[in-house]
Amino acid sequence: MDPTQKLQKIDVIHLGDELLLGLRSNTHLKYLGQKFSQYGLTLSSDLVIRDNHEEIVASLNSVWKNTDLLITTGGLGPTVDDITRQAVADFMGVELVFSDDIMKAIQNRFSSIGREMKENNKRQCFQLKGSEVMENPNGTAPGLFFEKDGKYLAMLPGPPRELKPMVENQLIPRLIERGLIEESHSYVQIRTCGIGESALEEKLKPIVSAAHEVDVAFCLHSGVVDVRFSTQISGAPISIAKGCAEAARELLGDDFVGYGDFDTAKSIISNLTAHGQRLALAESCTGGLIAAAFTDVSGASKVVSGGVVAYTKEAKIQLLGVPEDILLQHDEVSAETAVAMATAAAESLSCEYGLSTTGYAGPTGGNEKDPVGTVYIGYYSPVGAWSKRIFIKGDRELVRQRATVYALDVMRRKLRKYRQQDDEFRG
């Protein structure tokens, strides 16, 4: 690779029998693909192989000759099956050298948690001769960055909580410093909710047609649609893509959620925190997924007082205080029950807001009026209570996931409208 050129080909090799046995999900492809796409790069290949010396060497031999940057994940631990270092060293024709600095870092980590470094951890203290050590603040396995024949190798640990910070804080800065990637992004992404992919594409046609230098891509996932405006191919200024994104924001109104990987739960927490208000949750078909979405956000305790998973009629009555008459007259899955659940949760925990779900996630249940996939979302606020009926076609997992996304989106829209009206009144 010419040292004056940017990276063109990035290849990834994941190592681990547990991946091929289905014992652990491989989330690295999605993360690395998204991360490098921010810099206008697309992964060229992604390979998963066993913890086998011969297979590792054979894979390296196949990939290394055509790559600019090869990333390996996994196999850097202290156990006998962690053989990545040795296999890579054998392939590269370099020796492994013991690093006192790595050993001190591992010893300090064990000491900080009141434990003693084990003898097998010394296996992690070896590095490829001439490589740079990438620090691992969340584990004992350091990463390694190595250059040979104008190509680059990045060896990363397997656990996501160790790999991701290393990519963000160690690998990407090294690539930028060497001029291998551009520091600025080559695209702008917006997130939408409440509008289908085909309807969204049709709505954005005027914007897309007018911007010949911008490439547009749509990605549907978990009930939201992301739209990416990119100038990577044309080489046009990123400002043109930003202009398209801003025009889309104006055109979409409430269907526009935010820029980038916008987190709706985080946005709601920020909104309520700013106004000193609190939220209570009451879930049936989502089984705690909404609560999980909120409590995944640091600082959620300032806003979320608590929640109840009231799965049965008895739980709705006894734990939430939903009037039995409502359940008998309108059924457990109904607009009235959803409102009663949200209201009861908010009142019992003295919160300004309440959010609830009740529905038929399937595969059993439902009726002619409300078949499987029907979900009612209840919303309680200082200015009233509402419900929204949605229908989600899919299996049980999909119904529950999308119901969670839509419930958060209902609250996002209601808060946005309420804040706007409040600002207009005060203005």
Side-chain angles (χ1 to χ4, degrees), residues 33-103:
Q34 289 177 338
K35 177 53 61 177
F36 281 100
S37 70
Q38 294 175 4
Y39 299 92
L41 296 166
T42 302
L43 300 182
S44 298
S45 69
D46 184 85
L47 180 66
V48 182
I49 61 175
R50 297 186 300 165
D51 293 307
N52 178 280
H53 187 281
E54 289 73 22
E55 291 184 26
I56 296 172
V57 171
S59 299
L60 290 169
N61 185 56
S62 173
V63 175
W64 182 253
K65 55 190 174 185
N66 295 315
T67 195
D68 295 328
L69 170 65
L70 173 60
I71 299 173
T72 67
T73 75
L76 301 180
T79 56
V80 293
D81 59 333
D82 291 309
I83 58 175
T84 304
R85 288 185 200 81
Q86 188 62 61
V88 171
D90 291 343
F91 170 76
M92 293 291 181
V94 298
E95 63 178 309
L96 287 173
V97 295
F98 190 86
S99 169
D100 290 328
D101 290 337
I102 293 177
M103 187 168 77

Side-chain angles (χ1 to χ4, degrees), residues 314-378:
E314 290 75 20
K316 291 178 177 66
I317 296 170
Q318 296 173 17
L319 296 179
L320 285 171
V322 173
E324 187 174 7
D325 289 347
I326 289 179
L327 298 172
L328 293 174
Q329 184 176 352
H330 300 286
D331 197 16
E332 290 180 61
V333 177
S334 65
E336 291 81 3
T337 295
V339 168
M341 289 172 65
T343 302
E347 291 179 346
S348 63
L349 290 173
S350 301
C351 295
E352 290 84 359
Y353 292 89
L355 188 63
S356 71
T357 56
T358 181
Y360 298 115
T364 59
N367 52 55
E368 187 175 348
K369 173 179 172 288
D370 290 322
V372 169
T374 300
V375 177
Y376 287 91
I377 299 167

Side-chain angles (χ1 to χ4, degrees), residues 15 25 47 69 78 81 103 109 128 146 150 160 170 181 190 194 197 210 212 222 235 258 271-272 307 327 330 344 418:
L15 300 107
S25 298
L47 180 66
L69 170 65
D81 59 333
M103 187 168 77
R109 175 165 180 79
L128 299 176
F146 183 69
Q170 302 280 334
I181 61 176
I190 65 170
E197 191 174 13
H212 304 292
S222 300
N271 188 305
L272 296 183
L327 298 172
H330 300 286
Y418 174 58

Side-chain angles (χ1 to χ4, degrees), residues 175-227:
L175 299 177
I176 293 174
E177 181 183 354
R178 287 166 171 78
L180 299 172
I181 61 176
E182 296 286 351
E183 188 165 8
S184 59
H185 296 178
S186 62
Y187 74 87
V188 180
Q189 178 176 291
I190 65 170
R191 175 155 291 177
T192 72
C193 190
I195 182 171
E197 191 174 13
S198 57
L200 178 61
E201 182 178 19
E202 188 68 26
K203 197 166 188 177
L204 294 181
K205 266 187 178 179
I207 297 172
V208 175
S209 301
H212 304 292
E213 299 166 298
V214 177
D215 292 297
V216 182
F218 298 83
C219 180
L220 170 66
H221 59 96
S222 300
V224 301
V225 182
D226 291 336
V227 187

